[in-house]
Amino acid sequence: MNIVVVNNYDSMSEEVAKMVSAQIKCKPNSVLGLATGSSPLGVYRLLEEYHRSGVDFSQVVTFNLDEYVGLAADHPQSYRYYMEENLFSKVNVKRENSHIPNGTAKDVHEECRRYDELIRHAGGIDLQLLGIGTNAHIGFNEPGTPFGSTTQVVSLAESTIRDNARFFASPDEVPTQAISMGIKSIMHAKNIVLMANGGSKAEAIYAAVHGPVTPEVPASVLQLHPSVTIVVDQAAASKL
Ligand code: GLP
């Protein structure tokens, strides 16, 4: 694992955005794995700037990690809506190349199989961006998720529902299920960059980097991946 400790959120965002833009410059038809949440917002703002100065997304293919079950694309808290607002509408990525699990699919299990098949068909993910939950989840793979899991329907942990309630009018509105790319699907990515900021992530970062590799700490699986960079601000790195 390559661990980069930076001063603050802005430096974290810059470090990660530079990696994404280098990836696209080296391979214009890169397949990117994308994350949501507050951690990558700064990265997406910078990618919009880099695009204005010439970074071309026209051949880029993207796959998002997850989507809430039951939220349609036009629901303001759906991850499709988030991606449109924060990245897709700001750069020249083609909509037919930007994939997010469909949380309102009639058969969500079939949707999971379709999603893994799409990733395989695209040749796998070149660079996967990850945030981390305070309970060390990656994507929506909560503690206890088997490392062999592929894209699947998952039930959200109580702590995740509490953490994500800040985006909804009340905790009751947070969906209790999501479709998430599995741990195995994430581990198949050629390169992985995990970003975290703030003291609330310090425990999870410590456990992911130095703790035992166990499904109880989903991010600890990254210790087994050959190309992982963890970019953390000083607060998130405070227990390392
Ligand atoms: C959500 C997402 C994760 C994300 C995590 C952290 O639950 N499913 O992909 O990494 O929250 O979010 P934040 O970056 O807002 O702390």
Side-chain angles (χ1 to χ4, degrees), residues 9 34-42 44 64-66 68 79 82-83 86 131-132 140 164 166-167 195 197 201:
Y9 181 83
L34 299 178
T36 50
S38 45
S39 308
L41 282 174
Y44 297 149
N64 265 78
L65 280 167
D66 43 22
Y68 288 113
Y79 286 162
Y82 168 108
M83 290 309 301
N86 295 303
I132 187 168
F140 265 134
N164 290 0
R166 67 189 193 276
F167 300 112
M195 71 197 100
N197 66 289
K201 301 290 174 72

Side-chain angles (χ1 to χ4, degrees), residues 67-75 78 100-108 111 179:
E67 179 61 283
Y68 288 113
V69 168
L71 296 195
D74 61 353
H75 188 292
S78 76
I100 301 184
N102 176 4
T104 56
K106 263 212 178 84
D107 182 341
V108 280
E111 173 63 6
I179 294 177

Side-chain angles (χ1 to χ4, degrees), residues 224-240:
L224 306 177
H225 192 282
S227 177
V228 174
T229 303
I230 298 196
V231 185
V232 273
D233 74 349
Q234 275 167 354
S238 60
K239 291 195 191 312
L240 289 181

